[in-house]
Amino acid sequence: MSENKATGRPINPPKLHHTTFTTMQLDTMVAWYELAVGLIPAFHSDEAAWLTNDDANHRIAFLSPPGLKKPADKSHETGVHHTAFEYATFDEWLDNYIRLRNHGILPFLTLDHGITMSIYYQDPDGNGVEIQVDAFGDWAQSKQWISSALEFASNPIGTYFDPEKLVAAREAGLTFEQIHANARAGEYVPDTIPADIFLPELY
């Protein structure tokens, strides 16, 4: 019998399910993720928590064992830069920015990547949290665009924007498509452009 050589990847690949973090401030992290992205604990003890905001049993987990140490230079150390969450519509996404702003939670980075419009926050431990909306409203289209567009290849980071200018544009009656196009054209650039995309250092 011939041997099957087509085993270089799974035919039915597993889906990304959750991310787990260690933390020295468990209760604070649980409260922040509930406020920021609606993750609520399915289980929460003094040493660990498992949180979900959909039908999965958990999407984010926190472990708080004794003996943890603070990172020496988290913003410049290799590892996970951020975890991303996606809204289905532009209005939901922008409304969430306004809600968090009113709670005093402001982003450290805001970028129109072409495939998404993205707002980046930091959780209490300094981990990046991206909240995005798909610029095409369709994963098939955004997947095609990222794989073939010279525009993305020449500028994969994207264009910076001021989210307050997006709020004003929507209030003026502009559609998501118009706002996205204007952002890509640099019409909503913030007064101060970040020097880099590193996580701000909290330690």
Side-chain angles (χ1 to χ4, degrees):
M1 188 178 211
S2 297
E3 179 183 357
N4 181 10
K5 296 181 180 180
T7 58
R9 62 182 178 184
I11 298 300
N12 298 302
K15 303 296 184 183
L16 180 64
H17 186 275
H18 70 271
T19 303
T20 298
F21 298 95
T22 54
T23 181
M24 298 171 66
Q25 45 181 348
L26 178 61
D27 293 345
T28 299
M29 290 285 278
V30 169
W32 191 90
Y33 275 84
E34 180 173 3
L35 176 62
V37 290
L39 283 159
I40 57 174
F43 180 89
H44 182 187
S45 72
D46 291 337
E47 298 181 350
W50 285 261
L51 288 69
T52 185
N53 62 359
D54 61 14
D55 293 334
N57 50 51
H58 70 290
R59 290 300 188 185
I60 294 285
F62 299 116
L63 304 178
S64 189
L68 290 174
K69 299 178 182 178
K70 293 180 179 180
D73 186 14
K74 186 180 182 73
S75 64
H76 295 93
E77 293 172 346
T78 59
V80 176
H81 181 272
H82 66 270
T83 303
F85 298 84
E86 184 173 84
Y87 273 102
T89 71
F90 172 77
D91 286 328
E92 291 175 344
W93 172 77
L94 195 58
D95 287 344
N96 189 69
Y97 161 75
I98 295 169
R99 182 183 66 86
L100 291 180
R101 179 202 65 192
N102 292 345
H103 278 281
I105 298 177
L106 298 174
F108 71 91
L109 192 65
T110 50
L111 283 165
D112 189 321
H113 296 294
I115 48 169
T116 63
M117 297 189 77
S118 300
I119 298 176
Y120 294 84
Y121 300 89
Q122 274 190 296
D123 70 21
D125 276 352
N127 304 301
V129 176
E130 176 185 3
I131 302 181
Q132 66 182 41
V133 62
D134 192 282
F136 294 84
D138 183 299
W139 282 359
Q141 291 185 41
S142 59
K143 185 188 294 185
Q144 174 64 33
W145 188 85
I146 192 175
S147 67
S148 61
L150 294 177
E151 182 183 350
F152 184 80
S154 64
N155 180 18
I157 297 300
T159 306
Y160 293 97
F161 63 81
D162 181 341
E164 290 298 326
K165 293 179 180 179
L166 270 58
V167 173
R170 184 177 67 170
E171 291 176 351
L174 274 67
T175 65
F176 174 30
E177 291 75 13
Q178 291 171 321
I179 291 172
H180 170 53
N182 290 347
R184 293 293 287 172
E187 293 190 19
Y188 307 129
V189 173
D191 294 335
T192 302
I193 301 293
D196 52 52
I197 62 169
F198 291 134
L199 295 167
E201 187 58 69
L202 298 186
Y203 296 93

